[in-house]
């Protein structure tokens, strides 16, 4: 059952999401060649705790870390490790925090130095598809409209859209109804209503859409070992329109990136 949120709950959810945003912004300054992903995990854990929250991923279903860190061909749910980040890598960092009883959960794929042009384009298109999906998160439309917009934008560029992993509702629990696939038919699925809160998260592969699930029970890689990109925002529907609860602005401030991509989805409330 979909749990629609009132404005007071949405304000609390925005605080949770923005703490995750600030965590990712803090990490953006630290992600560089020679740094281990285990080090990044500790930084995030301590930052979340220092701000009065709990890491949402730690212990969730037995997951042993505070971040999912997935380099290169890893799609999602990668384990932090002592392996050092290298020039030319791409690194998906997925973070969650529980604050005031609500979960914030979103992700960004970072470029480490100079990456291959084809990989840079993959990241650009995958992030564009996130906003294409958010544009469809309008009262009266359906979840399938979000799914179709993401799929259409990515597949027309020849990229693989992962089927086995999807976005989801978010709130007091990290995974609530409805599921939000990154592929689907226009006009299908649940009707979008005010108070809906979902995590939209395209997982897009440079090559095949097929993936491999590893024996650790978590790590997912592309079947052809080509790079994957993953971007995620927490989105609410307020007064019929999509509003971002999370933001990449802290990342952009850290990296010196100037963009107005979020402007249409901002609302003070």
């Amino acid at each position: 059952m979909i749990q629609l949120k009132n404005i007071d709950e949405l304000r609390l959810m925005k605080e949770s999401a923005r703490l995750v945003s600030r965590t990712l912004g803090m990490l953006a300054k630290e992600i560089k060649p020679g740094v281990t992903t285990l080090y990044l995990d500790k930084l995030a854990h301590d930052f979340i705790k220092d701000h009065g929250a709990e890491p949402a991923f730690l212990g969730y279903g037995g997951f042993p870390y505070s971040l999912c860190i997935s380099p290169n061909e890893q799609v999602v749910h990668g384990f932090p490790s002592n392996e050092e980040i290298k020039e030319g890598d791409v690194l998906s960092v997925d973070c969650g925090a529980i604050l005031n009883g609500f979960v914030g959960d979103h992700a960004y794929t970072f470029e480490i130095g100079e990456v291959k042009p084809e990989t840079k384009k993959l990241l650009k298109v995958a992030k564009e598809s996130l906003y294409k999906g958010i544009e469809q998160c309008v009262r009266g439309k359906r979840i399938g409209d979000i799914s179709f917009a993401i799929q259409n934008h990515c597949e027309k560029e020849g990229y693989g859209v992962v089927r086995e992993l999807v976005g989801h509702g978010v709130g007091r629990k990290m995974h609530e109804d409805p599921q939000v696939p990154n592929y689907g038919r226009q006009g299908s699925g649940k009707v979008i209503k005010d108070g809906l809160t979902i995590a939209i998260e395209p997982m897009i592969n440079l090559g095949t859409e097929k993936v491999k699930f590893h024996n650790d029970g978590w790590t997912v890689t592309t079947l052809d070992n080509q790079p994957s990109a993953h971007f995620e925002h927490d989105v609410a529907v307020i007064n019929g329109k999509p509003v971002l609860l999370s933001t990449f602005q802290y990342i952009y401030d850290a990296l010196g990136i100037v963009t107005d991509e979020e402007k249409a989805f901002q609302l003070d409330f």
Side-chain angles (χ1 to χ4, degrees):
M1 181 180 294
I2 296 174
Q3 303 292 326
L4 301 177
K5 315 301 191 299
N6 62 41
I7 196 67
D8 291 330
E9 292 172 318
L10 291 174
R11 290 190 181 108
L12 293 175
M13 286 194 64
K14 186 175 181 179
E15 289 184 21
S16 303
R18 291 301 163 100
L19 177 55
V20 178
S21 302
R22 290 163 64 196
T23 306
L24 291 174
M26 177 273 296
L27 292 172
K29 301 174 184 177
E30 304 291 335
I31 296 173
K32 60 192 73 170
V35 169
T36 70
T37 52
L38 206 54
Y39 171 71
L40 298 176
D41 184 74
K42 184 178 189 325
L43 287 179
H45 177 274
D46 293 348
F47 188 88
I48 292 167
K49 296 281 283 188
D50 288 348
H51 286 82
E54 294 295 326
F57 296 173
L58 185 61
Y60 184 85
F63 190 79
Y65 299 99
S66 297
L67 293 176
C68 296
I69 304 186
S70 308
N72 302 319
E73 76 279 2
Q74 291 188 19
V75 181
V76 286
H77 303 161
F79 282 5
S81 73
N82 282 314
E83 186 173 344
E84 294 182 353
I85 300 167
K86 301 186 296 296
E87 177 82 14
D89 283 347
V90 292
L91 194 73
S92 165
V93 181
D94 194 354
C95 181
I98 305 170
L99 181 67
N100 300 320
F102 287 95
V103 175
D105 170 24
H106 68 115
Y108 190 87
T109 300
F110 294 87
E111 300 176 24
I112 316 303
E114 290 298 318
V115 305
K116 294 179 179 179
E118 60 266 31
T119 305
K120 184 182 285 284
K121 183 183 176 185
L122 167 69
L123 268 59
K124 176 179 180 290
V125 172
K127 183 148 68 72
E128 288 172 352
S129 79
L130 170 61
Y131 292 105
K132 293 288 186 183
I134 293 169
E135 286 174 358
Q136 298 300 313
C137 196
V138 173
R139 182 178 60 212
K141 285 184 174 276
R142 293 179 178 267
I143 295 297
D145 296 316
I146 300 171
S147 306
F148 175 83
I150 293 169
Q151 179 184 11
N152 183 61
H153 188 70
C154 294
E155 288 188 346
K156 72 182 182 183
E157 297 290 345
Y159 299 134
V161 178
V162 175
R163 271 31 179 199
E164 292 88 345
L165 302 152
V166 300
H168 51 88
V170 65
R172 293 188 181 277
K173 297 179 180 178
M174 185 153 55
H175 294 104
E176 297 184 352
D177 288 334
Q179 290 193 344
V180 187
N182 296 307
Y183 65 97
R185 292 184 295 106
Q186 289 176 300
S188 66
K190 300 285 188 179
V191 175
I192 295 169
K193 300 179 180 180
D194 279 331
L196 179 71
T197 51
I198 55 176
I200 301 176
E201 51 177 323
M203 290 157 274
I204 310 300
N205 300 340
L206 184 61
T208 179
E209 76 275 8
K210 298 185 182 302
V211 298
K212 177 182 178 182
F213 290 84
H214 288 247
N215 290 335
D216 61 17
W218 290 98
T219 306
V220 183
T221 59
T222 58
L223 193 62
D224 57 9
N225 291 318
Q226 294 199 72
S228 185
H230 176 214
F231 293 92
E232 178 180 18
H233 266 315
D234 293 341
V235 183
V237 182
I238 301 175
N239 298 327
K241 297 180 180 180
V243 176
L244 287 180
L245 302 175
S246 55
T247 178
F248 292 148
Q249 192 58 52
Y250 296 103
I251 296 171
Y252 296 153
D253 289 346
L255 299 180
I257 297 172
V258 178
T259 175
D260 63 354
E261 67 188 16
E262 296 182 0
K263 184 177 180 180
F265 310 112
Q266 297 289 1
L267 177 70
D268 290 328
F269 65 94

